Every structure is written in C-alpha cells, then in structure tokens.
Amino acid sequence: MEKKIGIITFHRAHNFGAMLQAFALQQFLSINNEAEILDYRSKCIENYYYSPLRLKSMIKSVILGRDSISKLSLKIRRKKTFEKFQQKYLVCSQPYSSNNISEASKNYDLFITGSDQVWNASMVQDDLNYFLKFVNPENRFSYAASFGNNSILTYPAKEEMTELISTIKIPLIRENDGVEILKKLNATNYARAKVVCDPVFLLTKCEWEEKLGLKKKSSDYIFAFFVNDPIHSLDIAKSLHEKTGLSVKYCHSYGTEKNIPDWCEKLMDIGPRKFMETLNSAKYVVTTSFHGMALSIRLGKQFYYELNKNGTNSRLNTLAEIFDLHDREITDSNIPTCSEIDYQKVNEVLEKYSSYSKAVLLSSLEGIDYE
C-alpha cells in the first residue's frame, strides 16, 4: 500500500552532498510511495547559509572588512544555483518552522529523518525536530542518520535526544561508529540498529545520469574537490597534473577561494547538477569530502581521498573499510602507491551493499526487522 512519507534533512544547505543525498532518497522512496521533503527552515541551516546574505548583514560584513563585494557576489551566485536545483529537482512541502512543524504530523503517514548529520548535536543543537519530536512515536523512522562526531555524548540535551532515538523501532544509521554511540547513550534500540548506505548509493550511475540529464564530456582533467582546507591533497592534484598533463578543475564545497593556485581552473559558483556533471566526466578525483568519495565510487572514478584534520573521519573510514579502499588515502605529499581501482570487484560489493540497504529500509517501513 502506497504511503505518504515526509523526509526531514538538510535539503536547504548550500552543500553538494546535502542536496544530492536528499534528492537520491526522495527518488528511491518515490518508486512505490509518495515522498516529500519537509521544507523545514531550521535555525542551524538558516543562520549559516541564509542570514549572512540578507542585505543588512552583507552591508555590515563589507563595512567590517569580513567580506569583499566580489566575495559576496560569489556567495549570492552560489545561493541561486542551489535554489534553482532545489526548485527543479526536489519535491518539497510547504515551508515549516519550529513554530508550526507539528502541523505536518497530520499530513503524512510516516516520517524519516536522514540522511546526513541530522543527529550531530553540535550542529543541530537544541533542534529536536531532527530527532522527530513533532511526530507520533509509531511514525518515527530514520535512514542513514549520522552523528557526525561524538558531541551528543556530552550535549546537555542528550537524555531527551536518546529518548527520541530510542522510540525508532529499527534505527538505520550511516556509520559503524554510530552503533557504538547508540550503545554509549544506552539507547534501548541499539541492538536493532543497522548500518546502511548513504542515499547517493541508492541510485545507479545510469539513474544519476538520466535523472539529472548529465552530459558526458571528455575526461581530460583532474577534479579537485574539497570540503575542508586540504593538507596534502592539493599537492597530489599538482603531482597528477605534472605526471599526466591533465588540467585541474578546483571546487570547494563552501565556495572558499583562499589560496587557489594559478594552475587550477576555479569552479566556485556551480550548483549540484554541474558538480555531478564535472565529477562524472573527470579522469581522476582528489577529495577531502565524504560525498566526493562516495559519488566517486558510485560513478566509477579513479580517486584519492584525504582524512580531515579535525578528526571527523568515521564517514570516510566506513567507506574505505566497506570497499577495501584504504590504499587510496592521502597521508603525505606523495601520490599513494596503489593500482587502479578494480571496479568489477567494487561494484560487486556496492550491489550487495545497496541492495541490502534498500531491503532494510523498505522492511523497516513495514515494521519488519530485516535479517
């Protein structure tokens, strides 16, 4: 029987991974159900991405010397490309805020929180709507929810967060570390928790190409994509550039233009679709991003990844462990010594991983604990 499903996630973040995973989960759920993304205007997202671009804030930022006119212009262009993607590709509900989101509970049969770091306490802070507080307990579900780090273990509201998570019959989480965090929280359902794939793996390479209308272009370049400032990754991109003669296209998830070398082509105001097209056509990918790594695997790219210096690496380590790709890790300024990725082997693992995750998700929505 078709269900109407409401998804709460970070769909308004001007972040490629956040928006693309939201798109992928909605697309998969819409095969046999009606799925909408709740157009939830959370303070954590609005304050980070939207408040700085209000006219008063921009004028103040220029006066205080925090931003230049050109930098603000870039931020505005990026905002428009993400909003355009959201309007064209995401099916969203009416806007909700923390003041009226309880009204959504009567419009859907069930709700899913995830994917992304919806249980990262340092990020969502006291917004318990990402823990589905506004939903009747029997209608609470999760998919590939991530804690991001251990901040929930010491957060003042951890008891209430734990109680809400415990009402989810079968918590579906994204990282191996998440199970340990549930155990440390004494969540009553931690033994039933299952690790599932990020939503970007729920769509095949062909489905990504078809649904977004990606044009296949020549692969005569290296795509350097960073979500954190790289330590050694840029050196690796340069070494590949010098070794292969391929050009380098540079993109930062947050539009940061700091210290970009002249030998890179800047792609700083592209949206999610153009990002996918660029990644899909690249010969090599060098990244510090979880979704940069995940989508490289999904699209069959030869890639190298660097862990983040801030220590939030459980997401990348989980992928490396599942696909046995630890040899792609960048640890210094030398290109990792490894053979090309055997995608016949990787795709066999990916097929099992995604098929299992799909089965677990669909079973959980029926209240069945898939084994």
Side-chain angles (χ1 to χ4, degrees), residues 116-328:
D116 224 330
Q117 299 181 53
V118 288
W119 290 345
N120 183 334
S122 61
M123 186 177 293
V124 301
Q125 299 179 351
D126 294 323
D127 193 341
L128 298 180
N129 290 316
Y130 288 107
F131 296 82
L132 301 177
K133 184 177 181 178
F134 66 98
V135 179
N136 291 329
E138 64 271 17
N139 296 330
R140 294 173 183 159
F141 296 83
S142 69
Y143 183 77
S146 173
F147 291 98
N149 53 42
N150 293 327
S151 60
I152 193 172
L153 297 177
T154 56
Y155 198 75
K158 79 168 185 176
E159 297 299 331
E160 188 170 5
M161 290 174 174
T162 303
E163 288 177 10
L164 289 168
I165 292 173
S166 294
T167 64
I168 297 174
K169 183 178 179 181
I170 307 167
L172 305 184
I173 55 181
R174 195 173 64 183
E175 288 92 39
N176 297 332
D177 287 1
V179 179
E180 288 304 309
I181 291 175
L182 287 177
K183 189 173 182 179
K184 290 177 181 177
L185 288 171
N186 293 317
T188 58
N189 55 358
Y190 86 86
R192 295 192 298 274
K194 290 179 170 55
V195 177
V196 292
C197 69
D198 187 271
V200 300
F201 291 119
L202 298 178
L203 302 182
T204 65
K205 174 181 169 69
C206 288
E207 286 172 331
W208 276 111
E209 291 172 340
E210 291 171 3
K211 291 178 183 296
L212 294 183
L214 304 182
K215 299 174 183 177
K216 188 65 177 177
K217 300 180 180 179
S218 62
S219 57
D220 57 347
Y221 60 86
I222 300 154
F223 188 32
F225 171 58
F226 307 125
V227 69
N228 296 293
D229 292 336
I231 302 173
H232 301 296
S233 295
L234 207 51
D235 293 331
I236 300 304
K238 184 177 183 181
S239 295
L240 283 172
H241 163 64
E242 293 172 344
K243 180 180 179 180
T244 64
L246 299 176
S247 61
V248 178
K249 296 181 185 289
Y250 181 107
C251 179
H252 195 288
S253 185
Y254 297 105
T256 302
E257 289 190 292
K258 183 175 63 176
N259 301 324
I260 303 177
D262 293 337
W263 44 268
C264 293
E265 177 189 348
K266 300 177 185 179
L267 299 177
M268 306 310 293
D269 58 357
I270 62 174
R273 183 188 170 280
K274 181 66 175 178
F275 166 81
M276 285 293 288
E277 199 166 74
T278 305
L279 179 61
N280 194 39
S281 295
K283 179 71 173 178
Y284 297 100
V285 177
V286 180
T287 189
T288 61
S289 159
F290 166 76
H291 279 110
M293 182 177 177
L295 286 164
S296 292
I297 294 170
R298 175 72 282 181
L299 299 176
K301 300 287 105 179
Q302 297 297 324
F303 72 92
Y304 302 96
Y305 72 96
E306 182 176 13
L307 296 179
N308 302 324
K309 58 186 177 184
N310 62 11
T312 56
N313 293 309
S314 63
R315 301 178 297 163
L316 289 88
N317 284 329
T318 294
L319 285 183
E321 181 178 338
I322 289 170
F323 295 103
D324 191 21
L325 292 172
H326 283 291
D327 61 348
R328 316 303 297 185

